[in-house]
């Protein structure tokens, strides 16, 4: 069993190489944290821009950052909630995250930011919300924060 399964969260050196700050300033980009060798390729099939590749059905997916348009199709199909959209806008970091708790936050709300261990590492402001379809399933929520937290924050808590 891989160490991250026993530990329960990923370390920085277990995630994919980061897109550059220049790329993050161009437009939002998908960032996948899915290291487990499981038979799933929904992200590959959802992407119409050849931006997600996989060596075989059990291999971890890899995003080709130059091809990603930021369309967000892949986030909504991922059963593992393992895909995030990252960008730098006006000097701030923005992360779009899948969110399956209730209540779904509203634009303008202040939320507590959590790292992969579930520890609070700061606060952010909700800038965009796509509610779940038919009030079931996964909402998408964009939270603005200090840009240095883009590769640390992976969840948030509504206050
Ligand atoms: S955001 Fe869109 S273009 Fe980018 S990897 Fe996901 S599906 Fe492909
Ligand atoms: S859809 Fe999600 S769980 Fe499935 S391979 Fe892609 S990132 Fe992993």
């Amino acid at each position: 069993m891989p160490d991250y399964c026993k530990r329960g969260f990923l370390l920085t050196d277990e995630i994919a190489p980061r897109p550059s700050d220049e790329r993050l300033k161009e437009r939002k980009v998908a960032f996948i944290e899915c290291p487990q060798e499981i038979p799933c390729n929904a992200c590959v099939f959802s992407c119409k821009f050849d931006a997600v590749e996989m060596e075989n059905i059990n291999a971890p997916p890899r995003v080709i950052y130059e091809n990603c348009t930021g369309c967000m199709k892949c986030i909504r199909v991922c059963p593992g909630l393992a895909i995030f959209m990252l960008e730098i806008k006006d000097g701030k970091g923005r992360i779009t995250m899948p969110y399956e708790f209730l209540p779904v936050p509203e634009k303008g709300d202040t939320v507590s930011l959590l790292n992969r261990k579930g520890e609070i590492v700061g606060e952010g402001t909700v800038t965009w919300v796509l509610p779940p379809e038919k009030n079931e399933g996964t909402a998408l929520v964009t939270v603005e924060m200090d840009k240095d937290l883009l590769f640390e924050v992976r969840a948030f808590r509504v206050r």
Side-chain angles (χ1 to χ4, degrees):
M1 182 187 285
D3 285 348
Y4 58 78
C5 288
K6 292 181 225 161
R7 195 187 310 120
F9 57 90
L10 293 167
L11 299 177
T12 308
D13 60 1
E14 293 168 334
I15 62 176
R18 302 173 177 197
S20 65
D21 276 16
E22 288 66 38
R23 174 63 186 84
L24 290 162
K25 287 174 188 168
E26 276 175 31
R27 61 185 182 278
K28 55 178 162 310
V29 63
F31 192 73
I32 299 184
E33 300 194 1
C34 179
Q36 254 185 310
E37 297 187 353
I38 51 172
C40 177
N41 59 2
C43 48
V44 177
F45 273 92
S46 71
C47 184
K48 306 288 179 240
F49 302 97
D50 295 327
V52 189
E53 64 177 19
M54 209 177 250
E55 282 179 21
N56 60 65
I57 183 77
N58 290 308
R62 187 178 82 88
V63 179
I64 302 161
Y65 299 134
E66 315 84 68
N67 292 0
C68 177
T69 64
C71 74
M72 301 200 286
K73 282 255 183 192
C74 53
I75 298 193
R76 292 206 96 167
V77 302
C78 174
L81 310 183
I83 304 179
F84 307 87
M85 301 300 306
L86 310 182
E87 69 178 319
I88 296 175
K89 198 168 176 66
D90 301 328
K92 304 286 278 184
R94 287 189 179 183
I95 306 178
T96 301
M97 296 174 254
Y99 189 78
E100 293 194 333
F101 296 102
L102 292 173
V104 176
E106 296 181 3
K107 186 175 174 183
D109 283 356
T110 299
V111 295
S112 297
L113 304 171
L114 309 177
N115 64 13
R116 295 181 187 84
K117 289 172 77 173
E119 298 167 333
I120 294 176
V121 292
E123 70 176 35
T125 306
V126 174
T127 59
W128 180 80
V129 178
L130 182 64
E133 287 168 14
K134 296 177 188 159
N135 289 324
E136 288 182 8
T138 307
L140 297 183
V141 180
T142 303
V143 182
E144 186 174 86
M145 65 196 71
D146 188 317
K147 76 178 178 59
D148 292 338
L149 292 172
L150 271 183
F151 293 93
E152 191 173 350
V153 170
R154 287 297 172 263
F156 62 87
R157 186 180 298 155
V158 176
R159 294 179 168 186

